[in-house]
Amino acid sequence: MLDCAWFETDKTFIDGEWVKPLSGVRIDIENPSDGEIIGEIACGSKADIDCAVDAAKASMAGEWGCMPADERGRILLAISRSVERRLKELARLESIDVGKPLRQSMADAVALARYMEFYGGAADKISGQTLPFKHGYTVYTLREPHGVTAHIIPWNYPMQIIGRSIGAALAAGNACVLKPSEEACLTALAFADIAREAGLPHGALNVVPGLGEDAGAALAAHPSVSHISFTGSLDAGRKIQSMAAENVVPVTLELGGKSPQILFADADLDAALPFLVGAGIQNAGQTCSASSRILVEDSLFGEVLEKMACRYAELAAGPALRDLDLGPLISRRQRDVVDSYIRLGGDLEIAAKGKIAPGSPERGHYVEPTLFAETRPDHVLAQEEIFGPIQNLIPFRDEDEAVAIANGTGYGLVAGIWTRDGARQMRLARKIEAGQVYINNYGAGGGIELPFGGIGKSGHGREKGFEALYGFTRLKTVAACHV
């Protein structure tokens, strides 16, 4: 059962208050584990977005905009402590709403608290520089907030993306309007109430659920928005960037990937194996940085195939709260997309499949995790982002071919390199076209402090760490002549 009496699920959150959507329209909340309707969320419209942006503007002109950085930081730290007190509740909400296993949702809730802690501590450490210049001048730079920032986030990692996006924007002194995905809003709404209780001034954070083509488009195109942060699909990202261009405002885009892990013959395979499989099936493969391509040096290929196939045969998908290896996909539509890709792999050998756990509800959106054996680098399954629990094994002969395959998709979000050769590690770290390169690991445990973002079709701009703070500020140069 859905237990969220401590916040309003069927309303928008504007100017510190729960407000009925002006259209009166609401959207069903579906539990992807069993297909049951468990509640309703508000379906915000352009009119609701206008109200939210107005509230954010007023907040910038009032208490929030005038608040010293150290006080902003203390509020974010208070939010972090409030999140920590509700970890179990937030994790359960995320699992019910998104479908991810409970332990993964708990990790996301912990990450949300950590983001708020990190950015709370960083709020009063955003500084400019004093620049050497001509005699008679004092020249320095200031980092100032953009003003009203728009945050359009997807359904797969609501808490994580709220943390790295909203946390950084608030720390830098911006007022935020958040449009969560209509397919997963619960923890975004819960976070709004937590932030209010922790003392965040009215209007500094506003949350308007709704459809992307309506509320999302209205937010991206709003003339009073000064910066847009978007995580989602490549096609949607292109539209967001076009809308932002009309108002000439900066955009941070994180648009997914087709991330490789590269195993050389000297790799520690036992150490690599959990990362090889785990990075492909986490959140049922619905992860922008999922490692869907496993590139393996020829001499190691047979052993990797055998060991990964054994692990896949043990995998089980089932209801989120049963906390198995995988939960369901977010929706029937997404399940159908993933099934269609599996059919497109009909010309390939399936090395192994996991199973759907006995007793899993028939109306749940489950897919058997699937490992394909030797796959051509130009095959559709090795080129397109699938967003499901599918991985492909791709052999390579030497270092040059590995780099060519890894860089051969147009995406550039994450890559993993497994080798004991230190010189090779450094060579490939430079040659691989990706925003993050991990050596003898994958993901660095989430790395709150580590800048995250892509190149090419994976987007541009950086989130996480101090780089996110710089992105949520604009630089002003002051040149004072005192002659």
Side-chain angles (χ1 to χ4, degrees), residues 23-62:
S23 67
V25 177
R26 291 176 174 79
I27 303 171
D28 288 340
I29 304 171
E30 183 192 48
N31 182 345
S33 290
D34 57 18
E36 296 295 324
I37 302 303
I38 54 175
E40 292 181 323
I41 56 168
C43 185
S45 62
K46 181 181 182 300
D48 298 292
I49 291 293
D50 288 342
C51 292
V53 172
D54 287 345
K57 287 172 62 180
S59 183
M60 288 300 300

Side-chain angles (χ1 to χ4, degrees), residues 53-172:
V53 172
D54 287 345
K57 287 172 62 180
S59 183
M60 288 300 300
E63 180 183 3
W64 181 246
C66 298
M67 184 176 290
D70 61 331
E71 292 185 25
R72 290 201 306 269
R74 281 192 285 271
I75 289 174
L76 294 183
L77 290 172
I79 294 173
S80 175
R81 292 190 293 270
S82 294
V83 169
E84 287 180 335
R85 287 193 290 269
R86 291 191 177 274
L87 289 178
K88 290 183 179 180
E89 294 166 278
L90 289 167
R92 183 178 176 84
L93 284 174
E94 195 88 318
S95 287
I96 291 171
D97 206 15
V98 177
K100 64 180 63 177
L102 195 57
R103 65 183 179 278
Q104 293 179 23
S105 295
M106 178 60 75
D108 290 354
V110 170
L112 174 58
R114 173 67 180 123
Y115 275 116
M116 292 299 141
E117 180 184 54
F118 179 87
Y119 286 119
D124 61 355
K125 299 170 184 66
I126 305 169
S127 61
Q129 294 178 302
T130 301
L131 305 176
F133 195 56
K134 298 176 182 179
H135 177 71
Y137 281 84
T138 297
V139 180
Y140 59 94
T141 60
L142 298 171
R143 286 199 171 272
E144 301 177 333
H146 290 289
V148 178
T149 56
H151 305 257
I152 303 173
I153 69 171
W155 44 260
N156 57 337
Y157 284 89
M159 286 192 287
Q160 290 253 15
I161 299 174
I162 286 169
R164 74 193 196 201
S165 176
I166 297 293
L170 291 175

Side-chain angles (χ1 to χ4, degrees), residues 26 49 64 119 142 232 254 289 295 308 358 397 403 456 460 471:
R26 291 176 174 79
I49 291 293
W64 181 246
Y119 286 119
L142 298 171
E254 198 270 88
S289 56
L295 282 53
M308 286 192 67
R397 295 184 302 275
V403 170
H460 51 73

